[in-house]
Each structure stands twice: as C-alpha cells, then as structure tokens.
Amino acid sequence: MAKKLFIKTYGCQMNVYDSARMADVLAPLGYGRTDSADGADLVILNTCHVREKASEKVFAELGRLKATKRARQADGADMMIVVAGCVAQAEGEEIMRRAPHVDVVLGPQTYHRLPEMVARAFRTAAQPGRGAGILDTEFPVESKFDHLPDAAAPQGITAFLTVQEGCDKFCTFCVVPYTRGAEFSRGVDDVTSEARRLVEAGAREITLLGQNVNAYHGAAPRVSISAAGSAPAEWRLGRLIRHLAEIDGLQRIRYTTSHPRDMDDELIEAHGAVPALMPCLHLPVQSGSDRVLAAMNRQHTADDYRRTIDRLRRARPDIALSSDFMVGHPGEDDADFAATLRLAEDVGYAQAYSFKYSPRPGTPAAAMANQISDAIKSERLDRLQAVLRAQQNEFNRACVGRIFAVLLDRAGRHLGQLAGRSPYLQPVRVSAPPALLGMIVDVEIRSAQSNSLTGDRAAGVPDRVACCGADSSTIGLSEARA
Ligand code: SAH
Ligand code: SF4
Ligand code: F3S
C-alpha cells in the first residue's frame, strides 16, 4: 500500500512549486500525497521566513504535530517529520533544539537529496536511543534542477515553473538572499522541456517563477549557440517568454515576482508583442519615498518606477498593475508615508499586498536604530489599505458589463458552476458544464465582489479553445478608473 505523504506549504508560489517537486522525488519511494497530517507516514512543512508571523506559525504547527506523532506511535505506527524551506534554512539549528521530534531539516536548495535523508532518518529511528535528526542546510555546489525527476503527477490546467532562484539584491529588510542563496537561472532548454511536459500533461497557463524572475539570464538554447557564433550566450526573460509562447497548446503565460530595476526593454516589448503574455504585472514598489527606497537598498527612485509603469502602459495600454507595499521601514516618517500614498494614487493598482515592516534576524534593517512603533505601523497600514482596497473595488466594478476570456480551471462552489481566472487574474465564477473545464470561454461579467467576479457565458460567441484570451476582451486600468 502507498505510504502517505502530507505537505503543508507556507509562503510564496516558489514554495508551492518546491512542494510539488518534493512529492516528485519521493514518489519512487512509494509516497503518495494526502491532504491531512492524520494518518500520514511522512509530514513535510515547507516553510516561509519572510515575516515574523510566518516562522511563529511553523513552531505552533510543530507543537501540534508532536501530539499527532505521539498518538500514531502509541498505535504502533510512526510519522516522520521534515521541515523544509526558508525557516529551515535560516533557523535549522533552532528547530533541532526546540523540536527534537523533527527528523529532517533541509533548505530550499537541497530537497533533491530528500530520499537519501529520509532513508537515513529511518535507519537512525530504528536504533535504540535514537540520536538527533538530520540537518542539511548547506548551499550545495550542484543545482537541484539537474537532479530532480520529471514530474510524477500533472500540476493541472494552470502550472508553476521556477526559472530563477535566489536573490543578489540584498534589500535591507529581506531574508530571501540568506534563505534561498545566490541568484541562479535555469537554462532555456531545461525550462522549455519542462514547459512542454507541463503542456502535454494538460497545462494551458504557465506562471514563470523566481524571487527576482526578471533578473533571469539563462543559458541560450544549445542549437542557437552553435548556429550563430555571435548569438548571446544567455537569454533574458523577454526572449524566453517569446520562445515559450511558441509551444503549441500553451495559451497563457505569466511571471512573478519582478523587481522594478530589471524591467528591461526586451521584457517591456514582450508585453506589447506576445498575445499569450497576460496583461497584468506584479511589480512591487514597497515605498513611494526616495529616502526610504534608498534606505531599503532598492536601487531605484519613485520616479524611476513611475517611468517604468509609463513604458509598460505604452507597450500594453490595457495592462493592470499590482504591487507589494511595506509601511514602517526604519526611518520612515510622515512625509515618506505620504509619498507612498501619493505613488499608489498616481499608479492606480488593480490589486496589491501591503505589510507592516517586521525585523528579520540577520538583516541590516533589523539593526537600524530608528525603528518605528507598532502603533504607527498599524495606523499607516490601515490608511494605505483603505486606498488600495478602494482601487481594487473600483477596478473590479469597472469590469461589470465587459466580456472577459476566462480560463476555466476548477469546479465552482455550486453545482453546475465552473471557476477560472480573467486575464487580470481575478477569480470568475460562471455557470458552465464540466466539459468546458480547461477551456478559455468568453464570459460577460454581471457582478463584482471585492475579490472575485461572477458572469455568464457570452451569448452568440463560440467558446474559444485555442486563443490566448487577452485579445478581444480586456480593459485598461485607466479606462476602468475613468
Ligand atoms: N522579490 C520580491 C519580494 C519577495 S518577498 C521583490 O523584490 O519585490 C514578498 C514581499 O514581502 C515583499 O515584496 C515585501 O513587501 C514583503 N516583505 C519582505 N520582507 C519583509 C519584512 N521584513 N517585513 C515585512 N514585509 C516584508
Ligand atoms: Fe528580497 Fe529585495 Fe531580493 Fe525581493 S529583491 S527577494 S525584496 S532582497
Ligand atoms: Fe517565504 Fe522563502 Fe518564499 S521566505 S516568500 S518561502 S522565498
């Protein structure tokens, strides 16, 4: 009988991708995924360290798992606990010390060695007076991508594909360069063959992932190097997107998360030239104050960001923007925060995430003297979120009456309903038969909620199966806000 594997994923989409790949490396050992820790033979917590609460949640979960493991052992079975991901990388020793019931701790770059570690942990567990668990958080010389098997289970109609790892930008507040390690890009051939496999397994939309995905600079395809001596040895993201758009059956491409500094001409032009590239972009700005942006080491000004948005809108007038904002970085005063509100008003976002700065161990900002009180952070966050929420509601309201191409990728909440995503990533619910799952259909939007839309299949328009969906039915943010 298959052994049961439960993976709980925290954090960003890259962790979602990594969890799928951990399941792939464990499949040959007889593990199949289950959706609860109860009765599981192996539990993996794939953790995030980006904000304070994220790691607290992991320790709370480990407390609960201790009881589950004990109960299972009392029944004569066992449960192995693995902590993976960014908390594991940053606080591996601490986890081993505080949670001795954990069997394996491994970082985001070593999970291709998981089968070997699990086997070692089993051998240790079989010995009387078993020793401490296994810790593997060195950044390896080899790339995990060269050692991962092909996916064992299809990801589905929408799929993630990590093309870039790590970060060399060292924003003062951020743990990612320490938890994920140095920046690294997968070669174009490697990415393309994985994309083809995903499409063959049913994916219609692929989101290219990286902590700094638009810093991508992967080795050019082998044929192109040999065909022309002068061809560049590396491709940037814009060129990769054009190349992937040629894959038959791949209808939609997205990418996340981008850094404003890496929005080069090639990538911006791709937004105008590649119909499969969806007309929305998550481009985190964090702050609208040049003083704070400099203190954060973001390496651009607020006006640089505004100019990038202008260039994007010239290339793709209907592009919708989303962003991450952070309030209360050390040193942020009222005038800095006012500049952030101004920037949000100027750009006009379709959607955005916003956070209170939280000091992370080992980062430069945590050691800065001028920390901001929690009360001020909360007050600023409330004010910013009110602006962003109003923008999102306005954007969604302006969609009512439009016809959107919706990729139906899952069952809806009610019988006879399917759900999917608009080109702008808004969840859309529509009455449709199950046969339309995986297809792009035109939907007339009837009503807008704050986080989703509801519509009906547009009358007189045949269901479209083979077009990107961004061509005939998109709206621009400026149009939406007018
Ligand atoms: N690579 C992306 C961000 C990755 S982290 C970029 O450069 O924009 C995702 C978001 O978490 C960040 O954009 C930031 O807004 C938030 N974040 C990161 N570190 C944080 C911290 N110490 N406190 C609060 N929010 C943080
Ligand atoms: Fe973190 Fe900055 Fe790198 Fe983004 S660019 S992952 S915020 S260090
Ligand atoms: Fe979190 Fe690591 Fe992603 S810290 S946001 S899981 S890169």
Side-chain angles (χ1 to χ4, degrees), residues 45 60 64 107 151 167 182 193 297 311 414-415 437 453 460 472:
L45 301 185
R64 285 190 288 274
C167 181
S193 44
N297 190 31
R311 284 160 63 216
H414 304 295
L415 202 65
L437 199 65
L453 305 172
S472 64

Side-chain angles (χ1 to χ4, degrees), residues 135-257:
L135 176 69
D136 187 354
T137 51
E138 291 296 311
F139 287 118
V141 189
E142 78 275 13
S143 158
K144 67 188 174 200
F145 295 108
D146 295 335
H147 298 269
L148 294 172
D150 290 353
Q155 281 197 43
I157 295 158
T158 58
F160 290 140
L161 202 178
T162 294
V163 301
Q164 183 275 339
E165 273 277 354
C167 181
D168 292 343
K169 294 233 169 24
F170 290 94
C171 301
T172 51
F173 53 82
C174 182
V175 290
V176 170
Y178 312 96
T179 61
R180 288 271 172 175
E183 204 183 289
F184 163 81
S185 298
R186 296 174 72 179
V188 173
D189 284 336
D190 184 24
V191 169
T192 309
S193 44
E194 188 165 328
R196 279 189 207 289
R197 282 197 304 274
L198 289 168
V199 172
E200 277 159 22
R204 294 292 163 262
E205 171 179 302
I206 293 181
T207 303
L208 308 175
L209 300 179
Q211 274 87 16
N212 245 244
V213 70
N214 57 344
Y216 178 83
H217 53 92
R222 271 183 291 276
V223 279
S224 112
I225 296 173
S226 56
S230 60
E234 289 183 339
W235 284 14
R236 303 292 318 253
L237 189 64
R239 187 146 184 204
L240 176 72
I241 287 170
R242 284 173 189 262
H243 182 65
L244 296 177
E246 286 169 16
I247 296 177
D248 254 359
L250 177 57
Q251 293 166 345
R252 292 183 163 191
I253 300 174
R254 305 179 188 273
Y255 62 95
T256 198
T257 296

